[in-house]
Amino acid sequence: MRVRLLLPGFLGLLPAMAMATEPPPAGSVRIYRCVAGNGAVTLQDAPCNGAHRQQVLDMQRPQDPPPRPVAAPTTPPAPPPPEREVRIVTVQPPQPLYECIAPDGERYTSDDGVGNPRWVPLWVGGYYPPGPMGSPAPGSAGGGLQGGRPGHGHPGGAAVATGTWVRDACHPLPQQEVCARLRDRRWELVRRYNSALQSERQALTREQRGIEARLGRDCGGY
């Protein structure tokens, strides 16, 4: 009878004894539960001695908690972009300069492109040879309307001497040529200033100031 009672208990210890000889699974810790004859229970990490009943427990090895995520340093909000300054720059175009040609071929300059006026006579009706400088011939109407009807009053028929004002033709100069002529005019005023009368020097000085201002504005300096 005693053998029968001990045999089942011995067979129950076989799995524990076999388990004790195997290594613990990875990531676990093996605990031995030892029960003494008086019923006292002891937990240890080594196998029990022969006088104790042994129970092998494989427990998950304690692990440290995952590290707390490091909070990113708080950066101050970016300052708003500065207001864009808008500047309106008005560029004045260069002042033009014109070259005009007189009937005799003389050339001169004009700031407004309007040439000098000249009187051109027009003859209507009978023919009278013009006098000197384009004036009507002696005995003609002399610039006005002749009295009487055509064909009366003078041999060869009547004539009406009239005319009109015309201006010399002008054309604009290239900007490079404008600057060159302004510089030439400035030096001409400087030369004339030394020999000019006191009353003439004020006019020369005013003209020179205007030319220098125009050179600085339209020609990039002096």
Side-chain angles (χ1 to χ4, degrees):
M1 290 296 293
R2 183 176 301 174
V3 174
R4 292 177 181 175
L5 292 176
L6 292 177
L7 185 59
F10 178 76
L11 293 177
L13 293 176
L14 288 177
M17 294 174 63
M19 185 176 179
T21 59
E22 296 177 358
S28 61
V29 60
R30 179 160 292 176
I31 303 298
Y32 296 90
R33 184 173 183 272
C34 303
V35 182
N38 57 0
V41 178
T42 304
L43 298 176
Q44 58 188 31
D45 56 357
C48 304
N49 55 26
H52 292 74
R53 288 183 299 171
Q54 177 176 280
Q55 184 181 5
V56 180
L57 302 175
D58 289 334
M59 304 179 65
Q60 184 70 29
R61 184 182 297 275
Q63 296 180 357
D64 296 332
R68 291 185 177 183
V70 179
T74 58
T75 57
E83 295 183 2
R84 185 176 181 182
E85 183 179 1
V86 179
R87 295 184 179 182
I88 301 176
V89 179
T90 303
V91 179
Q92 181 179 356
Q95 181 180 349
L97 186 66
Y98 300 84
E99 183 179 63
C100 305
I101 304 176
D104 58 357
E106 180 185 0
R107 296 175 182 268
Y108 59 94
T109 57
S110 171
D111 289 336
D112 53 8
V114 179
N116 294 334
R118 52 191 171 88
W119 176 259
V120 177
L122 300 176
W123 300 92
V124 181
Y127 173 75
Y128 287 94
M133 301 299 292
S135 61
S140 64
L145 296 176
Q146 176 145 12
R149 293 175 297 172
H152 297 275
H154 291 279
V160 176
T162 183
T164 182
W165 288 99
V166 296
R167 293 184 178 273
D168 298 336
C170 302
H171 63 276
L173 293 172
Q175 187 59 31
Q176 184 176 1
E177 180 65 19
V178 172
C179 297
R181 296 202 181 191
L182 290 175
R183 294 186 182 99
D184 292 343
R185 179 59 179 171
R186 179 186 59 184
W187 289 116
E188 180 183 353
L189 294 176
V190 172
R191 289 192 298 267
R192 288 177 53 188
Y193 184 86
N194 296 329
S195 59
L197 299 176
Q198 187 66 29
S199 58
E200 297 176 347
R201 289 186 175 183
Q202 295 181 357
L204 295 177
T205 301
R206 286 193 298 267
E207 184 179 357
Q208 183 180 355
R209 289 176 180 173
I211 291 177
E212 290 178 351
R214 190 169 173 180
L215 286 172
R217 182 183 66 246
D218 299 341
C219 301
Y222 301 135

